[in-house]
Amino acid sequence: MEDPFLIVKSQVEDALVNATNLFESWKRIQQTVSSPRNQELLWTADELNSSLEAIELDIEDLEEALQAAQQNPSQFNLTVNDLNNRKSFLTQSRNTIHNMRKIMANPPSKKPYSPNDQSSSSSYQAARQNDNSLFIESQQQHQMMIMQDQDQHLDAIGGTLVNLKEIAGTMNREIDDQVILLDDLGNQVDRSEGKLKSAMRRVTTILKQEEGKPHIDN
């Protein structure tokens, strides 16, 4: 099996690259916008903070794994050099995140813009286009996630409606069966009532016949 530490370490490295790109975008935007409440600036800062928080959680897991490995390196087939390299990686990662947060908390003063600086202007335009593309892509992904959630809810509602339809059909069939049974029971009651009346009439006739006969005294 591949070392879990190395798997998470690779994920942290990729996340740091993405965070660094966001950080560079944030710095470019911060230098060009006039208001600290600029939506593009706030969005980039929010994305960067979320990325850094996720990286910090992974680093905490890696630090716990490193502490466990340091107690018994042979169990994990690790050398002292392996442990030192892992410790150095975690320290560097922490420092990178710390420096980003420090600069975001205390943004550098804005550089004066020179209209004659064509290379700076072209670089700025390219950077803004890249930032805008990242913003649009993020919004598209967000909209896609919302649409996927809506599709899942609609599928769930559709499944519920199908179940309700089946339950209603079953209930309707059971009601029809009960109606048939009640009709049969009513017919049987009617027949039994007719037979009972016929028997009562016969008993009444017999009693009247017996009353009309003379009694013979002993």
Side-chain angles (χ1 to χ4, degrees):
M1 291 181 59
E2 188 174 356
D3 190 339
F5 185 97
L6 298 180
I7 296 175
V8 180
K9 176 176 178 289
S10 177
Q11 295 173 351
V12 169
E13 289 172 335
D14 292 339
L16 281 173
V17 171
N18 180 62
T20 301
N21 292 333
L22 284 171
F23 180 63
E24 293 300 324
S25 296
W26 176 85
K27 288 195 298 182
R28 287 193 298 269
I29 299 170
Q30 188 272 334
Q31 285 291 315
T32 57
V33 298
S34 58
S35 171
R37 304 304 300 172
N38 178 273
Q39 291 299 313
E40 187 179 3
L41 180 64
L42 293 176
W43 175 85
T44 305
D46 184 62
E47 288 292 310
L48 178 56
N49 282 322
S50 297
S51 178
L52 295 179
E53 289 174 1
I55 296 172
E56 286 173 331
L57 291 176
D58 288 337
I59 290 176
E60 289 177 1
D61 292 339
L62 290 177
E63 287 176 340
E64 292 180 1
L66 178 61
Q67 292 174 1
Q70 286 176 330
Q71 295 177 1
N72 191 3
S74 60
Q75 180 181 355
F76 302 96
N77 298 321
L78 297 174
T79 65
V80 174
N81 188 49
D82 292 332
L83 295 175
N84 289 335
N85 288 337
R86 295 185 177 192
K87 185 176 181 180
S88 176
F89 169 76
L90 294 176
T91 301
Q92 292 176 0
S93 299
R94 285 284 191 190
N95 290 338
T96 300
I97 294 174
H98 174 74
N99 291 334
M100 290 184 188
R101 290 194 182 281
K102 183 178 179 180
I103 294 175
M104 291 180 69
N106 299 284
S109 57
K110 296 179 180 179
K111 299 178 182 180
Y113 172 71
S114 174
N116 297 326
D117 191 350
Q118 296 298 326
S119 61
S120 176
S121 177
S122 299
S123 176
Y124 163 75
Q125 292 296 334
R128 288 302 299 271
Q129 289 178 359
N130 180 63
D131 293 339
N132 290 337
S133 297
L134 289 174
F135 178 78
I136 293 172
E137 181 180 356
S138 176
Q139 291 300 311
Q140 289 176 341
Q141 292 177 351
H142 182 65
Q143 293 297 325
M144 287 295 296
M145 291 176 63
I146 293 176
M147 292 176 64
Q148 289 175 357
D149 290 340
Q150 291 175 343
D151 289 341
Q152 291 176 355
H153 288 313
L154 290 175
D155 289 341
I157 293 174
T160 302
L161 292 176
V162 171
N163 292 335
L164 290 175
K165 181 179 179 181
E166 293 178 353
I167 293 172
T170 301
M171 293 177 63
N172 185 55
R173 289 191 294 272
E174 290 180 351
I175 291 173
D176 290 341
D177 293 341
Q178 294 295 328
V179 169
I180 294 173
L181 291 174
L182 289 174
D183 288 342
D184 290 341
L185 179 60
N187 293 332
Q188 292 177 7
V189 169
D190 290 341
R191 288 194 295 270
S192 297
E193 184 179 2
K195 291 179 180 180
L196 179 60
K197 289 181 178 180
S198 177
M200 290 297 295
R201 286 195 297 270
R202 291 176 61 189
V203 170
T204 301
T205 301
I206 293 172
L207 290 175
K208 288 181 178 180
Q209 291 175 352
E210 290 295 329
E211 288 178 357
K213 292 180 179 180
H215 292 282
I216 300 175
D217 297 331
N218 292 331

